[in-house]
Amino acid sequence: RWGVKSVLFLPYTLFTSWLLRRALLSCSKLFPVSDAMARMLVINGISVKRLSVIHNPVIVPKRVQKNVVKNTILSAGRISKDKGIQFVIRSLPLIPKMKLVIAGRGGFESELRKIVNELNLNHRVDFLGFVNGKTLNNIVARACVNVLLGTVYEALPRSVLEASALGVPSVVSSAGGSGEAVGDGGIVVTSLDEESIANAILTVLKNRTTYSKRARLHVKKEFSSDTIGKELAKEYKLLL
């Protein structure tokens, strides 16, 4: 829909897009945070020779939470349609005894609540509102599985990396760099129908110990501060 605000905002959007493109083309080296972002830059005219993928780092604690809430599915972050929480809610009837905890705020929350009411799932979905810091960290650490079923581009979802670092496996969509973030520490679903989502979550739950170990090993190898620091130092030396 094109309202007055959209029409007035269009010149600004076009100008900033042009400015960003010029800035990108003038750089001698770019460090996209994922292969997915690198591919997008190539599509937009950036030479692959000027790209070196450097992932965002994540802190990997030495120990993980042991008192996991066995029946908890977690969705943490901004609540919007493109995050795909509605698909998780609709899959709940196929996942017995599991509860969905939604930590975050956003304009799509009212629509999610309608879906919850329509499916009579009020007793199985908790809306926690905005949480951060240690509170959020504890909620994530105690979850059995993390979900992020984005329907649009995800450069490199930090919520997945942080969950993996805490030993919490994830079920994600194939949008952008979500698959890179989860690695073998979870499952990537290519279809967002209820059965596919439910099967993926149930598979992770059945083999959670294995997926948990894989998730931590994956982020420790690919996304730890030490690993990323060494990669950055190497690239900067080449530029000097």
Side-chain angles (χ1 to χ4, degrees):
R1 296 181 182 180
W2 285 88
V4 175
K5 288 184 178 179
S6 298
V7 173
L8 293 175
F9 196 66
L10 180 60
Y12 171 78
T13 303
L14 293 174
F15 174 71
T16 53
S17 296
W18 172 82
L19 196 63
L20 176 60
R21 181 175 174 78
R22 285 206 59 175
L24 291 174
L25 290 172
S26 68
C27 293
S28 58
K29 194 73 174 180
L30 294 169
F31 301 120
V33 298
S34 65
D35 291 331
M37 179 177 280
R39 288 192 294 271
M40 180 170 285
L41 289 171
V42 171
I43 290 172
N44 284 277
I46 306 298
S47 171
V48 69
K49 294 180 180 179
R50 294 165 57 204
L51 303 177
S52 291
V53 174
I54 303 288
H55 296 124
N56 286 329
V58 65
I59 296 174
V60 183
K62 293 181 179 180
R63 298 179 181 179
V64 296
Q65 185 74 258
K66 291 185 177 181
N67 56 333
V68 174
V69 181
K70 294 183 179 181
N71 66 337
T72 303
I73 302 169
L74 174 68
S75 173
R78 176 173 53 88
I79 299 178
S80 59
K81 187 176 183 179
D82 58 278
K83 294 300 180 182
I85 307 172
Q86 64 273 24
F87 303 119
V88 186
I89 294 173
R90 294 191 183 281
S91 71
L92 277 180
L94 301 178
I95 312 171
K97 301 179 182 179
M98 295 301 292
K99 201 168 194 176
L100 174 63
V101 174
I102 301 171
R105 288 179 185 166
F108 198 59
E109 182 175 333
S110 60
E111 292 300 318
L112 294 184
R113 289 184 180 274
K114 287 181 183 179
I115 297 173
V116 169
N117 287 329
E118 289 172 4
L119 297 176
N120 194 28
L121 292 171
N122 291 282
H123 60 299
R124 295 184 61 191
V125 180
D126 287 342
F127 290 87
L128 302 184
F130 177 75
V131 289
N132 62 3
K134 289 184 178 180
T135 301
L136 177 59
N137 195 62
N138 288 332
I139 291 170
V140 175
R142 297 186 67 199
C144 199
V145 59
N146 176 60
V147 289
L148 178 61
L149 302 177
T151 58
V152 297
Y153 181 77
E154 295 276 354
L156 189 71
R158 190 158 188 85
S159 62
V160 174
L161 296 179
E162 292 177 344
S164 294
L166 294 169
V168 180
S170 295
V171 171
V172 302
S173 68
S174 57
S178 296
E180 291 175 62
V182 77
D184 60 355
I187 293 178
V188 178
V189 291
T190 55
S191 176
L192 296 179
D193 63 277
E194 292 90 339
E195 188 173 349
S196 296
I197 295 168
N199 286 340
I201 292 174
L202 288 169
T203 298
V204 170
L205 293 174
K206 185 178 180 180
N207 305 280
R208 189 185 185 279
T209 300
T210 298
Y211 279 110
S212 176
K213 290 178 180 178
R214 287 178 182 173
R216 275 178 56 81
L217 287 172
H218 175 61
V219 292
K220 189 173 182 178
K221 179 183 178 182
E222 302 291 342
F223 302 96
S224 70
S225 299
D226 287 343
T227 298
I228 304 305
K230 290 176 182 177
E231 290 178 0
L232 274 173
K234 180 181 178 181
E235 290 293 339
Y236 282 129
K237 284 181 180 179
L238 293 174
L239 292 173
L240 295 176

